[in-house]
Each structure stands twice: as structure tokens, then as C-alpha cells.
């Protein structure tokens, strides 16, 4: 009977914040990595609760994917009859077609695998292109995404009245979702990607940032090249201060240092991926959606 949140070592703080927001117990899934790279996964205590919320972001996804499947199996075999995956960052969503002959369509493969092991899935601002909802990828389970925009908006000081900058057309949805309720001005750039770490950006109307604070907004900071390039343009246009806000920050320490060198004074992201920039908690947004979807036991 009952319900509990299960987290993994690297995300126990975030899992606990979610459990607190739900008024649930929080347990750690233990993982032993053998010298050959295999993982031994164990859940405790057993029997498992009827509803298990498994919390883990899938950055650095390969080992983590295997371990969440093993954890789901251990929970199921020990009595859980509803297992919900909360993966604030969901990997492998970009590759939604074969761009070249012979490529695997990762989104379809990973979606099918997750749907076979979980009864529900919740993620945040997934990187989808041609497919617009997770229900198309995992039609047999209750798979949904929410946006971190309300939490990111809460991090912007109203008094500062910055111009919000989306570096590319895809970012428009997040920039506007944050700017509109706060009544802030928005500029959206056009980006051309030439390689993993090579992009060109043009931002029409960039003169408007002259002597004003600017906040760059994006869904993901990966290598940081997008934000570094955009920051260069904002500097040239005379922005008085440049900050960045993102849902997910995957950047390494070296890449974050490069972003600071590019003139970005403060970088903040949600806690979807634990790290130096992850100061914005998603717990109450996640808990609200979990409750709304009726995933919690009635008692
Ligand atoms: C692109 O479509 C995304 O919204 C991000 O702009 C991109 O993933 C950021 O990647 P990077 O930090 O490597 O430029």
C-alpha cells in the first residue's frame, strides 16, 4: 500500500524535494557498479509501495537508462503495481527520424522501451522537433511534459525589467512564456548550426539592448556555444549586463567558464540536472502535475 519517491545517489536532494512537496517518503535506490561496468540495482524496503515514483534525469543516459529499467523491474517484482518515471531531463528525444540511411531513430526506440516498463512518465521541456507531444511517442502510457517556464520566470527580478533574448526560433516558446506574464520585451534570433560547437546567430532589433540588462533564455545549454555566440552579439550591442536562464544545463565546468568569459555574468538553470547552475527547483511544478494526473493513491 501507499506511495514513495525513489531516487538515485546523484539526485537525492532533488528527489527529496519532490517527496516533500508530495508529502511522501523518499528512498534511495542503491546501485553497485562492478569493475566490468555492470550495475547491481536494489530497492528497499520491500515489499515496495503500491505506487512508486522513480525520479532520475537521463543526462549521461546510457548507464542511467539500464539502471532505471532494473529499478522498475525490482519495484514491480516486489509489489509495486504503478510505477511512474519522473525524468526532468529526458535523453534521446532529438533523433526523431533517420537523417542518413542506416541511422537508428533513437526517440522511437527509447520511447518504446520506457513505455514497456513504466505506467506513466513526466518530463520537462523535452527536446522535440517534428513530434509535438510525448503521447505520440508513447501512446500506451500516460506520458506528458510540462514546461519549466513558470519556475524560470520566478527567477527574474521584476525591478530589473531586462530584455529577454531567445537565441533561435525554437526558443521563442520559452522566452515568450516567461516574458509575457511579466510584460517584458522579447527578441528572438535566427541560428544556423555548422557543427557541434559552431553556430552563427543573427538577432534582429538587437540595438534595443543598448544600456539595458539582457537575459538569454534557452531550453538546453549543452556545449554552451549557442549562448556564447549570442552573448558576443549582446556585448557588441552594448547590453549593460548579460545573464542566462535555461531549463536544462548539461555544460561542463570548462564550458561554463567559457560562457562567463563570453560576458555572461550569471547562469541559472532548473534543478533538472544537478550542478553549479541548478538553483531553480522544479519540485512544486512536478508535484502539481503528478497530483493533477491522478497518479497518487487515493488513501
Ligand atoms: C537547440 O536547438 C537548443 O534549443 C539549444 O539551443 C542547443 O541545444 C544548445 O546547444 P549548445 O549549448 O551546444 O549550443
Amino acid at each position: 500500500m501507499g506511495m514513495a519517491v525513489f531516487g538515485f545517489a546523484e539526485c537525492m536532494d532533488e528527489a527529496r524535494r519532490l517527496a516533500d512537496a508530495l508529502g511522501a517518503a523518499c528512498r534511495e535506490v542503491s546501485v553497485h557498479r562492478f569493475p566490468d561496468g555492470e550495475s547491481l540495482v536494489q530497492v528497499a524496503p520491500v515489499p515496495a509501495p503500491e505506487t512508486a515514483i522513480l525520479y532520475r534525469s537521463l543526462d549521461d543516459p546510457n548507464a542511467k537508462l539500464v539502471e532505471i529499467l532494473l529499478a522498475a523491474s525490482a519495484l514491480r517484482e516486489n509489489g509495486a503495481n504503478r510505477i511512474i518515471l519522473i525524468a526532468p531531463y529526458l535523453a534521446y528525444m532529438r533523433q526523431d527520424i533517420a537523417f542518413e540511411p542506416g541511422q537508428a531513430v533513437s526517440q522511437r526506440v527509447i520511447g518504446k522501451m520506457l513505455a514497456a516498463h513504466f505506467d506513466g512518465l513526466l518530463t520537462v521541456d523535452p527536446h522535440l522537433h517534428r513530434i509535438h507531444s510525448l503521447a505520440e511517442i508513447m501512446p500506451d502510457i500516460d506520458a506528458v511534459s510540462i514546461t519549466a517556464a513558470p519556475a524560470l520566470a520566478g527567477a527574474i527580478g521584476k525591478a530589473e525589467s531586462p530584455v529577454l533574448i531567445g537565441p533561435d526560433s525554437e526558443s521563442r516558446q520559452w522566452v515568450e512564456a516567461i516574458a509575457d506574464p511579466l510584460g517584458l520585451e522579447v527578441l528572438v534570433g535566427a541560428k544556423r548550426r555548422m557543427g557541434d560547437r559552431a553556430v552563427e546567430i543573427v538577432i534582429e532589433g538587437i540595438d534595443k539592448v543598448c544600456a539595458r540588462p539582457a537575459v538569454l533564455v534557452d531550453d538546453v545549454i549543452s556545449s554552451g556555444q549557442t549562448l556564447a555566440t549570442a552573448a558576443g552579439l549582446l556585448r557588441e550591442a552594448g547590453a549593460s549586463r548579460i545573464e542566462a536562464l535555461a531549463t536544462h544545463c548539461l555544460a561542463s565546468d570548462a564550458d561554463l567558464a567559457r560562457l562567463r568569459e563570453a560576458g555572461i555574468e550569471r547562469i541559472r538553470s532548473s534543478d533538472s540536472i544537478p550542478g553549479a547552475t541548478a538553483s531553480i527547483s522544479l519540485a512544486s511544478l512536478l508535484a502539481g502535475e503528478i497530483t493533477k494526473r491522478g497518479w497518487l493513491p487515493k488513501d
Side-chain angles (χ1 to χ4, degrees):
M1 291 295 282
M3 186 263 290
V5 174
F6 291 81
F8 290 78
E10 82 283 353
C11 59
M12 283 312 292
D13 288 347
E14 293 74 18
R16 270 190 208 100
R17 285 199 283 272
L18 176 61
D20 288 348
L22 291 169
C26 188
R27 314 278 183 218
E28 181 170 339
V29 176
S30 82
V31 177
H32 174 72
R33 294 246 171 97
F34 292 107
D36 62 8
E38 284 187 11
S39 300
L40 175 63
V41 167
Q42 185 174 12
V43 298
V46 288
E50 198 174 308
T51 300
I53 307 271
L54 193 63
Y55 181 99
R56 187 176 228 188
S57 268
L58 297 174
D59 51 304
D60 192 10
N62 296 353
K64 288 184 181 175
L65 270 167
V66 171
E67 288 165 4
I68 62 167
L69 300 187
L70 295 173
S73 153
L75 288 164
R76 191 88 68 191
E77 283 174 18
N78 283 283
N81 66 23
R82 177 157 50 179
I83 307 177
I84 306 293
L85 175 63
I86 310 296
Y89 179 76
L90 185 59
Y92 283 120
M93 291 295 111
R94 282 185 174 92
Q95 181 86 16
D96 54 6
I97 55 170
F99 295 94
E100 290 174 24
Q103 285 182 344
V105 182
S106 325
Q107 183 191 79
R108 206 161 56 211
V109 177
I110 301 300
K112 202 168 168 185
M113 191 171 82
L114 293 175
H117 289 81
F118 294 94
D119 302 291
L121 181 150
L122 173 60
T123 189
V124 183
D125 292 335
H127 206 104
L128 303 176
H129 289 286
R130 283 150 287 264
I131 299 243
H132 299 292
S133 106
L134 287 183
E136 294 173 58
I137 307 164
M138 296 171 241
D140 299 332
I141 65 166
D142 194 9
V144 282
S145 64
I146 56 170
T147 177
L152 300 183
I156 294 183
K158 273 192 186 156
E160 299 162 25
S161 199
V163 184
L164 296 201
I165 317 288
D168 53 32
S169 57
E170 285 175 342
S171 62
R172 180 180 289 281
Q173 54 190 305
W174 295 290
V175 193
E176 290 184 343
I178 295 170
D180 290 354
L182 299 172
L184 297 175
E185 195 167 352
V186 162
L187 293 175
V188 177
K191 179 170 87 180
R192 193 166 78 89
R193 185 173 283 283
M194 288 88 70
D196 285 346
R197 286 176 178 271
V199 298
E200 271 175 9
I201 298 177
V202 176
I203 304 174
E204 218 168 288
I206 195 167
D207 294 351
K208 289 185 181 164
V209 302
C210 185
R212 294 175 66 189
V215 178
L216 283 158
V217 177
D218 211 350
D219 58 338
V220 188
I221 308 174
S222 191
S223 69
Q225 198 56 47
T226 298
L227 293 192
T229 306
L233 299 175
L234 294 172
R235 250 193 1 253
E236 278 168 26
S240 58
R241 175 181 170 84
I242 307 170
E243 294 194 21
L245 268 183
T247 302
H248 310 292
C249 182
L250 295 158
S252 66
D253 288 347
D255 287 329
L256 288 175
R258 268 192 286 277
L259 285 173
R260 292 194 182 95
E261 278 162 28
I264 304 181
E265 290 176 44
R266 183 160 63 157
I267 303 163
R268 287 175 294 172
S269 62
S270 85
D271 61 357
S272 66
I273 298 165
T277 63
S279 57
I280 301 167
S281 172
L282 293 173
S284 71
L285 285 179
L286 294 170
E289 188 65 25
I290 289 168
T291 308
K292 191 173 115 194
R293 304 211 73 77
W295 284 339
L296 301 180
K298 299 282 178 274
D299 50 38

